[in-house]
Amino acid sequence: MPAELENTSAVTVSTASGEASASSSGNQTAPPSTTTKKKRNLPGMPDPDAEVIALSPKTLMATNRFVCEICNKGFQRDQNLQLHRRGHNLPWKLRQRSSKEVRKRVYVCPEPSCVHHDPSRALGDLTGIKKHFCRKHGEKKWKCDKCSKKYAVQSDWKAHSKTCGTREYRCDCGTLFSRRDSFITHRAFCDALAEESARAQTVANSNSEEDPKLQMVATAATSSPPPASSAPVISAGLPIQNPELPEVQENPSIILNHAPSATCLDGSSSSNSSSNGCGSSNNSSNVFASLFASSAAAGSLQPQTSSFSDLICAMARSERPTTLSAGSAAEPTSLCLSSTSLFAPVGAERRQFAPLPQPAMSATALLQKAAQMGAAGTNASLLRGLGLTMTSSSPSEQQESLQWSRRMEAEPAPLAAGLGLGLPCEGGTATGLTELMMGQSSLFGPRPTTLDLLGLGMGSGGAPTGGLSALITSIGGGLDVTAAAASFGGGGSSPGRTWEEASERKPNSPPALL
Amino acid sequence: MKTERRGNSAPISLPYSYHGLLFNNPQGSLPEAALKGRRLDGACTEKLLLHCASAIENNDVTLAQQVMWVLNNVASAVGDSNQRLISWFLRALIFRASRVFPTAAMNFHGTTALDQMIQTRSMSVTELAGYVDLIPWHRFGFCASNSAILKAIQGYPRVHIIDFSITHCMQWPTLIDALAKRPEGPPSVGITVPSCRPPVPPLLNVSSDQVGFRLANFAKTRDVPFAFHVIDCSSSCSKSAGADTLSGDFSRSFHHLMSQLNPCMLDLRDDEALVVNCQNWLRYLPADHLSLRNTFLEVIKGLNPCIMTVVDEDSDLDSSSLTSRITTSFNYLWIPFDALETFLPKDNAQRMEYEADVGHKIENIIGFGGMQRIERSESGFKLSQRMKNANFLRIPFDEETVGEVKLLLDEHASGWGMKKEDDRLVLTWKGHNSVFATAWVPINFQSS
């Protein structure tokens, strides 16, 4: 397959393009240096003749970019291609390179949020930009056998593998450490040491354990403390995907069944359906409440469902008469998958949802749906059935068990009442959220153009419905968050950002959150 | 259903099950282009969090619910790092909302579920040792402080360390180890800890005495003369009934602790180097008009320590404005989540524990006000001002310390870095400040 050659979008920049040094933006980092073998000009001294190449990620990562025009064989390096071409006995004319190739090339990173995306920060070495892209934006395909570290660039992985496991410290309890300070700290508190000292005292031996047991361990071994030795409180009390926990083992069978139903707003009792009735009862407050009900569509679950899920479903079912306004047959045991996973961080129920992706919706759809629900009025408790025990556990029950999940099981009654956001809605129309988005909310006073939620610069007029549609269209078109950012005075960038100087925030192009 | 993954991000795309919903919507069909998997980016979710908070503060239940619902669909405690971060924020907001919008059916007892969980989720000492080394968040401070301490106590035959921290003496084995290797022989080491501590994770399933016992054991194996003391902070007055919160307990105990911080009670000797170590501590002391924080500094100064190390989180999270706190903490606490994501899988237990502990912090910052809000960190810059105003002199970190810290960071993920800001060493993640370390001495220090 002929790989695309470089000029997918070649930009010739006569000024401000540069052979930026590979380390120019990485002042504070300690990653393995990119392999820029040649000396680069300092940033700020661009080579005006350099051709700035912007490759797509696919092209960039393509391994055989240099293709022989005669036989279409691909090579990783240009030199190799030239060597190969000689073997074709080309006529003299074709043997020479085109003069174009003599020109200096610099490459930008395809990731828009990256600092190297700017031509003035381009890297001069193709390998360098490849490695950069891999490391910063790429998937970490290379995993160290011995420890859990993952790397996106093969040479990084190799470099790590050389040192991993070569210098290891072994505690008497059998745990291995690659770092001395971790080893020392562990050893100081380890039971093995205590026992040893006790023995040493009784036998009155001279200290033989004075030196940390440095061992060159040839074979690979895990360096993490064995989880099995952890106190029962922790392992049971945490949402561990630990196959040793019996309760977890029962759940895998449930997971798949959950998946389709979880993502459907209207959870039918059949946990396998994913598309039925999705459009039906969504305009009712029922939906809103049910969105927060446990996603454990209890009616259809196998008996292995944890009692927590049963509990939630029981409550959700009991609520049905009161909240049902749309007479759909669909059940309130429908789901917002993430609610349970959100608020039941411990225990089996979380395990059920762990491998599932979010009920993925675009921002527009989410906002729209929220507004819809507002239109129908909400008298539903926001958090009913979320299983948040923080509201209403009685003291005696609190002390009953040591574990979060058990605690939740012990309190059916308060859960039924929910967290108490079930107030009569205050003017529960779509206008609340819409106004918010339109910037007309009384929260912020009469400044419609600058205080839009998403900086859409929308005018002060417009019916809610129309406004919402327009809003959503605008979202589809683009987000201008600078105006919105200004209204909150700072913190305009988003988390999950890539490498940046602290002073160099880019509010205009925040990295995509996801 | 999902679009291709790129790096660590998982774009949210529209699953087919939603298409039916949207195209049936009574408001008319919307332009399809607008509905294509538009990513909900960080700035957007941050705004949503703020709007939710405002709605709560304005008693607008409906709006709060709506925004929460939107956020709920984005957040996931097992998603990528940003989803997880949002889920903890949302949780904190819900907690706050639940207190603002109570109903008769609620039986609220003033402690959060997280408190309950944290109280019962405690670790063994070895687990804690692993926990503090998961990311360099704590170890950075340990390393910088220990290095500075080593230098400051050179020549002293005895050293007494008063340790104010939340990490249960995890810092000291490496110091003891280093002291054992001192060319002129190790000094006698005494470590004193208060019996009270802020009600925050990480929690230990053994008492301070047990910790001390093990440390003593370890010191013995290194031939370092060692002694361990616990200052009993339990106040004599009995707990008042009713709304007794953990933070209230700490506050009372803290006052009692302060009263015992005098040379006599601490049994300080003249040939002793006194070291005061504050790791993740000062932020729990209120800095308001009562300013326990300043009082504490005065008391410490009165003890004439040869060095006072202060390590804390480099962020101003003490604003009285909720929205300001949300913004600041959102733009700060993404760091541990992001760091953990780089090398631990989504379902890793240690990762989730760590995140839950950060979640505890978030809940406190957002969910509480008044005395119950105990997470009141101030940035390194402000802390330095405070120390200078309290007549402390900075002790710069030497090149050896810097080198040691760099070595430490080299062994962690490549995102961790370090920089020097004035007199502070600052741990950075992808260039953003996370933790600062400083060392001080009273201006009027009298060396013996």
Side-chain angles (χ1 to χ4, degrees):
Chain A
M1 138 200 101
E4 302 162 62
L5 288 182
E6 290 136 18
N7 296 323
T8 45
S9 56
V11 174
T12 306
V13 180
S14 55
T15 58
S17 75
E19 300 176 75
S21 147
S23 58
S24 63
S25 66
N27 301 349
Q28 296 124 358
T29 72
S33 54
T34 55
T35 53
T36 45
K37 298 181 181 74
K38 302 180 211 166
K39 233 7 188 164
R40 300 285 158 205
N41 289 338
L42 296 172
M45 296 205 301
D47 178 353
D49 292 333
E51 184 183 358
V52 180
I53 314 271
L55 301 170
S56 75
K58 185 158 163 260
T59 317
L60 186 62
M61 302 315 301
T63 44
N64 294 337
R65 299 180 51 257
F66 300 94
V67 181
C68 174
E69 63 267 27
I70 298 163
C71 62
N72 270 340
K73 189 165 178 203
F75 296 88
Q76 290 202 21
R77 289 213 195 97
D78 190 44
Q79 300 94 305
N80 299 352
L81 171 63
Q82 296 311 320
L83 274 171
H84 159 84
R85 281 171 87 235
R86 278 193 223 157
H88 281 305
N89 294 321
L90 299 165
W92 186 83
K93 255 196 206 167
L94 293 174
R95 223 182 276 160
Q96 285 184 325
R97 295 180 180 203
S98 65
S99 57
K100 194 176 85 160
E101 285 174 296
V102 174
R103 222 162 130 209
K104 180 71 209 135
R105 283 186 170 132
V106 293
Y107 303 90
V108 291
C109 179
E111 173 62 39
S113 58
C114 182
V115 63
H116 288 297
H117 190 66
D118 190 296
S120 64
R121 301 291 213 121
L123 301 181
D125 181 28
L126 177 64
T127 315
I129 198 75
K130 267 168 103 161
K131 283 199 174 166
H132 153 79
F133 180 70
C134 249
R135 276 196 201 108
K136 300 268 172 67
H137 314 295
E139 191 187 335
K140 295 186 171 52
K141 294 187 297 196
W142 304 94
K143 182 181 182 305
C144 176
D145 294 327
K146 299 161 196 162
C147 68
S148 59
K149 286 201 179 160
K150 288 195 192 159
Y151 294 91
V153 179
Q154 187 181 16
S155 53
D156 290 348
W157 169 74
K158 275 192 187 163
H160 165 83
S161 301
K162 275 190 209 152
T163 57
C164 186
T166 52
R167 195 188 51 169
E168 284 198 347
Y169 307 88
R170 179 193 289 276
C171 178
D172 295 332
C173 69
T175 321
L176 283 167
F177 298 89
S178 59
R179 297 203 304 266
R180 189 163 190 275
D181 48 15
S182 323
F183 166 65
I184 297 283
T185 309
H186 166 91
R187 186 176 162 75
F189 294 110
C190 185
D191 294 333
L193 187 69
E195 286 163 13
E196 226 182 273
S197 307
R199 258 183 278 127
Q201 275 179 357
T202 55
V203 179
N205 280 339
S206 59
N207 280 346
S208 61
E209 66 270 10
E210 189 168 325
D211 308 322
K213 296 214 186 338
L214 252 172
Q215 290 187 11
M216 306 297 280
V217 179
T219 57
T222 174
S223 63
S224 58
S229 64
S230 58
V233 170
I234 300 205
S235 43
L238 286 173
I240 296 177
Q241 316 314 323
N242 187 340
E244 295 164 44
L245 289 178
E247 52 188 78
V248 175
Q249 280 167 352
E250 296 176 343
N251 288 326
S253 59
I254 301 177
I255 296 169
L256 293 173
N257 290 335
H258 267 247
S261 62
T263 55
C264 178
L265 262 187
D266 175 84
S268 65
S269 52
S270 159
S271 59
N272 282 319
S273 70
S274 57
S275 56
N276 66 339
C278 267
S280 54
S281 65
N282 290 309
N283 285 335
S284 66
S285 61
N286 190 19
V287 171
F288 198 73
S290 59
L291 282 172
F292 287 90
S294 162
S295 55
S300 58
L301 280 184
Q302 295 85 336
Q304 294 103 324
T305 313
S306 72
S307 49
F308 168 61
S309 309
D310 284 334
L311 174 69
I312 299 299
C313 299
M315 285 179 319
R317 263 184 257 120
S318 68
E319 289 167 14
R320 219 185 306 157
T322 56
T323 60
L324 195 61
S325 52
S328 128
E331 292 345 342
T333 56
S334 64
L335 342 231
C336 187
L337 152 70
S338 57
S339 65
T340 306
S341 60
L342 176 65
F343 297 109
V346 178
E349 44 284 351
R350 196 188 198 204
R351 174 70 178 93
Q352 296 170 10
F353 306 113
L356 298 173
Q358 272 301 285
M361 290 187 74
S362 65
T364 61
L366 282 175
L367 290 166
Q368 180 208 13
K369 222 186 297 320
Q372 276 177 353
M373 293 182 300
T378 55
N379 56 3
S381 148
L382 172 70
L383 298 157
R384 192 172 310 155
L386 257 182
L388 272 170
T389 58
M390 55 195 184
T391 63
S392 41
S393 47
S394 59
S396 60
E397 285 168 336
Q398 280 175 21
Q399 275 118 39
E400 255 174 20
S401 82
L402 289 179
Q403 294 183 22
W404 175 278
S405 52
R406 281 196 227 136
R407 199 181 301 117
M408 291 203 275
E409 295 165 12
E411 295 153 5
L415 280 172
L419 262 174
L421 283 187
L423 298 179
C425 52
E426 303 175 3
T429 64
T431 55
L433 188 58
T434 316
E435 273 178 14
L436 177 67
M437 292 186 247
M438 300 286 289
Q440 285 183 352
S441 166
S442 57
L443 298 174
F444 305 112
R447 292 172 57 194
T449 51
T450 57
L451 288 172
D452 304 335
L453 167 65
L454 300 168
L456 301 170
M458 305 191 71
S460 50
T465 305
L468 184 55
S469 300
L471 165 74
I472 292 171
T473 312
S474 309
I475 293 178
L479 275 175
D480 176 1
V481 295
T482 47
S487 68
F488 285 107
S493 7
S494 61
R497 66 211 78 186
T498 54
W499 293 90
E500 297 174 274
E501 300 279 350
S503 53
E504 284 175 9
R505 300 270 167 117
K506 288 185 182 179
N508 287 324
S509 56
L513 173 64
L514 309 162
Chain B
M1 230 190 263
K2 272 177 101 175
T3 58
E4 63 174 0
R5 283 179 62 92
R6 218 165 60 148
N8 290 329
S9 55
I12 290 181
S13 62
L14 202 63
Y16 67 88
S17 57
Y18 281 123
H19 283 298
L21 163 67
L22 291 163
F23 294 138
N24 288 340
N25 92 69
Q27 290 180 349
S29 64
L30 294 159
E32 192 162 337
L35 299 176
K36 284 197 179 137
R38 171 72 209 182
R39 297 176 181 191
L40 201 67
D41 72 10
C44 204
T45 49
E46 186 186 328
K47 302 301 171 291
L48 286 173
L49 285 173
L50 292 169
H51 280 288
C52 184
S54 300
I56 294 170
E57 299 212 288
N58 289 288
N59 282 318
D60 189 346
V61 182
T62 310
L63 183 55
Q65 284 183 330
Q66 288 173 331
V67 182
M68 282 178 184
W69 181 83
V70 174
L71 284 169
N72 199 20
N73 274 280
V74 178
S76 162
V78 286
D80 68 20
S81 63
N82 288 308
Q83 289 173 305
R84 293 159 99 121
L85 179 68
I86 295 167
S87 83
W88 287 106
F89 268 84
L90 178 57
R91 183 192 196 115
L93 280 171
I94 289 176
F95 171 69
R96 190 184 183 97
S98 70
R99 286 161 55 239
V100 174
F101 309 129
T103 61
M106 242 174 47
N107 227 359
F108 188 59
H109 283 263
T111 54
T112 69
L114 274 171
D115 271 335
Q116 295 159 13
M117 179 174 87
I118 296 301
Q119 276 179 307
T120 56
R121 179 171 68 78
S122 54
M123 297 182 238
S124 71
V125 275
T126 42
E127 279 160 355
L128 183 59
Y131 176 95
V132 298
D133 272 320
L134 206 57
I135 52 177
W137 197 271
H138 294 283
R139 181 63 67 187
F140 166 81
F142 295 171
C143 182
S145 301
N146 285 350
S147 185
I149 290 172
L150 268 174
K151 187 161 163 231
I153 63 175
Q154 262 169 11
Y156 283 86
R158 305 180 65 89
V159 57
H160 190 142
I161 302 172
I162 313 181
D163 181 26
F164 299 103
S165 82
I166 57 171
T167 42
H168 308 276
C169 296
M170 287 295 131
Q171 179 175 349
W172 305 122
T174 38
L175 181 71
I176 293 173
D177 179 64
L179 286 174
K181 294 190 265 186
R182 214 164 69 153
E184 65 268 33
S188 298
V189 177
I191 296 184
T192 299
V193 300
S195 69
C196 66
R197 102 191 243 298
V200 296
L203 295 183
L204 207 53
N205 64 2
V206 296
S207 65
S208 304
D209 291 313
Q210 254 293 318
V211 172
F213 177 73
R214 298 209 182 207
L215 267 185
N217 207 19
F218 175 68
K220 196 153 74 131
T221 67
R222 301 312 206 94
D223 289 329
V224 175
F226 184 81
F228 190 82
H229 319 277
V230 177
I231 304 177
D232 185 11
C233 307
S234 48
S235 46
S236 48
C237 53
S238 56
K239 288 186 187 178
S240 53
D244 206 273
T245 64
L246 299 166
S247 45
D249 289 344
F250 173 62
S251 180
R252 266 190 302 281
S253 308
F254 182 73
H255 280 95
H256 198 236
L257 163 68
M258 295 260 274
S259 67
Q260 299 187 71
L261 289 177
N262 54 69
C264 179
M265 290 287 284
L266 294 170
D267 192 27
L268 299 180
R269 295 165 45 146
D270 287 338
D271 60 345
E272 235 173 16
L274 178 65
V275 172
V276 175
N277 184 61
C278 293
Q279 294 256 338
N280 297 294
W281 178 266
L282 283 187
R283 69 170 180 261
Y284 296 110
L285 309 183
D288 52 11
H289 58 281
L290 295 175
S291 203
L292 270 183
R293 206 172 288 190
N294 287 336
T295 314
F296 178 76
L297 293 179
E298 289 301 316
V299 169
I300 296 300
K301 209 165 59 165
L303 296 175
N304 198 40
C306 70
I307 182 171
M308 177 181 183
T309 49
V310 179
V311 171
D312 221 306
E313 296 179 344
D314 199 354
S315 180
D316 285 309
L317 290 172
D318 197 12
S319 165
S320 50
S321 145
L322 173 67
T323 47
S324 165
R325 293 202 302 274
I326 291 178
T327 304
T328 314
S329 55
F330 193 64
N331 285 307
Y332 175 68
L333 292 171
W334 68 274
I335 291 177
F337 282 82
D338 198 48
L340 290 167
E341 165 137 301
T342 54
F343 73 102
L344 287 174
K346 289 191 185 338
D347 52 3
N348 179 275
Q350 277 187 307
R351 173 181 177 185
M352 295 203 280
E353 263 184 61
Y354 208 98
E355 290 173 350
D357 291 347
V358 180
H360 186 272
K361 196 198 299 279
I362 295 171
E363 192 182 82
N364 188 266
I365 293 169
I366 292 178
F368 285 104
M371 249 189 51
Q372 290 185 303
R373 179 163 61 87
I374 58 176
E375 297 275 352
R376 295 170 180 267
S377 46
E378 61 183 344
S379 64
F381 176 75
K382 283 198 174 163
L383 186 280
S384 293
Q385 298 283 40
R386 185 184 297 276
M387 298 296 289
K388 286 172 188 164
N389 290 342
N391 289 320
F392 280 88
L393 207 55
R394 67 179 177 90
I395 302 178
F397 291 99
D398 62 7
E399 283 314 305
E400 206 182 305
T401 305
V402 171
E404 278 183 40
V405 175
K406 279 197 176 144
L407 276 179
L408 164 73
L409 295 181
D410 278 346
E411 293 182 329
H412 281 90
S414 67
W416 294 106
M418 182 200 65
K419 64 180 176 183
K420 270 186 167 177
E421 261 180 12
D422 306 330
D423 42 11
R424 304 183 292 281
L425 282 189
V426 184
L427 174 70
T428 59
W429 170 254
K430 294 187 174 176
H432 295 270
N433 291 16
S434 55
V435 177
F436 70 84
T438 55
W440 306 90
V441 66
I443 275 182
N444 304 321
F445 170 61
Q446 319 266 351
S447 58
S448 48

